[in-house]
Amino acid sequence: MRATGDEQSLRLRVTALVWEAEGVLSVHLSRADGAHLPPWTPGAHLDLHLPSGLTRQYSLSGSPADRSTWRLSVLREPASRGGSREVHEVLRPGDHIEVTGPRNNFALPEDDALRYRFIAGGIGITPLLPMIERVASSGADWSLLYGGRSRSSMAFLADLARHGERVLVRPQDEFGLLDLDAYLGPPSSGTSVFCCGPEPLLAATEQVCGSWPPGTLHVERFTAQPYDVGAEDDAAFEVVLHRTGRSVTVPAGRSVLDALEEHGIDVPNSCREGICGTCETKVVAGVPDHRDSLLSPEERAANDTMMICVGRARGPRLTLDL
């Protein structure tokens, strides 16, 4: 379930700021009039429109059953582009801030799996918390492998402790790197693996799950996946806007979104890295060059949708439903 273009934009009040761990701050948001917030499903995130003009995506880490408050948990990243620093240093209780969403690119499957195996690295625990709440309440077979630099940096340990041995807490300074092979065991059908965390953890999990049945692994990235571009993949091409017939040239080294904006054509977008799904656009004709970190291998092979903030074309012309 991804963006459909009809997410709500809301102006919400910061009702509380709560320290969850070393460097991890939760932001609680509510309607000023006390009305219910829109419903959401585990794995969803919001676009947070910060006072500086930056827009950043943060996972909802609270309970979907709580319609009065949304909770976002933000890690202070010294090397960030400014979003996490602004959340930590600028936002204060009583402030009002605009959000867009919720949007879910990381949803639990509609058909319940026999087993759920969750893997979290650091702040990657945030989208998994509501998932765990749902599967735990259903009585499903589940477990969580949770790693971080140290216990002091790992958020929500006290909340997770109530699940007992289903939660394996493995801080790196005590246990080293997560032993994914031991945790996951041999490939098996009927298992859904959900992983969120830094890129090395995601890459390692993808490697371990490479021999598992297709569709087993679900990952969410907070940063774009590395993408190698050859000169033959970066030639100029034409984008045809199907609804108007207008044609726009996309020069070498630019994305479709870049070219459209330069010609005064506005398309909803947010991350500009191919990780949030806001700019997802239907492909009418042509073959896209997928450079996002969101579409599954099956979705890429279908070639009927693309993230135009990073994507280009494999050919001289691409027709989009715009």
Side-chain angles (χ1 to χ4, degrees):
M1 183 173 67
R2 282 198 293 273
T4 59
D6 58 357
E7 300 100 341
Q8 297 187 52
S9 289
L10 300 170
R11 188 164 180 80
L12 302 181
R13 184 173 180 268
V14 179
T15 55
L17 298 172
V18 179
W19 288 106
E20 308 290 358
E22 182 181 298
V24 179
L25 184 68
S26 279
V27 180
H28 295 238
L29 302 170
S30 299
R31 287 183 184 265
D33 60 6
H36 278 178
L37 293 164
W40 58 281
T41 54
H45 70 264
L46 296 176
D47 289 350
L48 199 64
H49 304 284
L50 296 167
S52 67
L54 292 175
T55 298
R56 295 291 183 264
Q57 294 75 41
Y58 296 109
S59 298
L60 285 161
S61 61
S63 171
D66 183 359
R67 297 287 299 279
S68 67
T69 303
W70 281 342
R71 182 180 71 184
L72 310 173
S73 303
V74 181
L75 172 67
R76 172 65 185 265
E77 288 275 15
S80 79
R81 294 172 298 158
S84 70
R85 182 175 63 251
E86 188 169 352
V87 169
H88 278 247
E89 296 182 0
V90 175
L91 288 189
R92 293 294 180 265
D95 289 350
H96 289 80
I97 190 166
E98 184 178 351
V99 304
T100 304
R103 182 184 306 115
N104 201 335
N105 305 322
F106 192 44
L108 285 165
E110 294 183 3
D111 296 328
D112 289 338
L114 296 177
R115 291 170 296 276
Y116 294 91
R117 298 294 178 256
F118 299 104
I119 303 169
I123 198 62
I125 190 61
T126 53
L128 302 184
L129 291 173
M131 293 186 181
I132 289 170
E133 176 185 314
R134 197 190 94 172
V135 300
S137 65
S138 72
D141 177 356
W142 70 274
S143 62
L144 166 67
L145 179 62
Y146 183 15
R149 297 188 310 276
S150 64
R151 288 181 188 270
S152 63
S153 69
M154 297 170 67
F156 304 107
L157 289 181
D159 293 344
L160 291 166
R162 62 189 172 91
H163 296 297
E165 294 182 355
R166 290 185 182 272
V167 176
L168 305 176
V169 178
R170 297 292 184 266
Q172 187 173 352
D173 61 355
E174 298 177 31
F175 294 90
L177 297 177
L178 295 179
D179 190 340
L180 299 175
D181 289 304
Y183 173 63
L184 293 173
S188 62
S189 60
T191 299
S192 285
V193 179
F194 286 81
C195 180
C196 186
E199 182 60 34
L201 174 62
L202 299 180
T205 305
E206 288 173 331
Q207 182 175 4
V208 170
C209 290
S211 58
W212 286 57
T216 293
L217 178 61
H218 311 267
V219 302
E220 181 167 66
R221 286 180 157 84
F222 293 142
T223 58
Q225 193 173 14
Y227 185 88
D228 293 328
V229 179
E232 68 279 5
D233 299 322
D234 217 19
F237 61 94
E238 294 296 312
V239 165
V240 178
L241 308 186
H242 181 66
R243 300 179 196 175
T244 65
R246 184 177 178 181
S247 180
V248 171
T249 298
V250 182
R254 308 302 301 276
S255 70
V256 173
L257 179 62
D258 290 335
L260 294 179
E261 289 181 334
E262 288 172 0
H263 285 78
I265 302 167
D266 293 326
V267 180
N269 68 91
S270 180
C271 71
R272 306 185 78 95
E273 294 183 291
I275 60 175
C276 79
T278 305
C279 70
E280 184 172 7
T281 302
K282 290 181 180 179
V283 177
V284 177
V287 180
D289 180 4
H290 298 289
R291 303 185 181 187
D292 62 275
S293 302
L294 185 57
L295 293 175
S296 68
E298 294 79 13
E299 290 170 324
R300 288 170 181 255
N303 285 325
D304 56 9
T305 188
M306 68 181 295
M307 307 302 158
I308 63 172
C309 69
V310 290
R312 290 177 48 81
R314 293 189 180 277
R317 183 173 291 102
L318 192 63
T319 303
L320 301 178
D321 185 20
L322 293 170

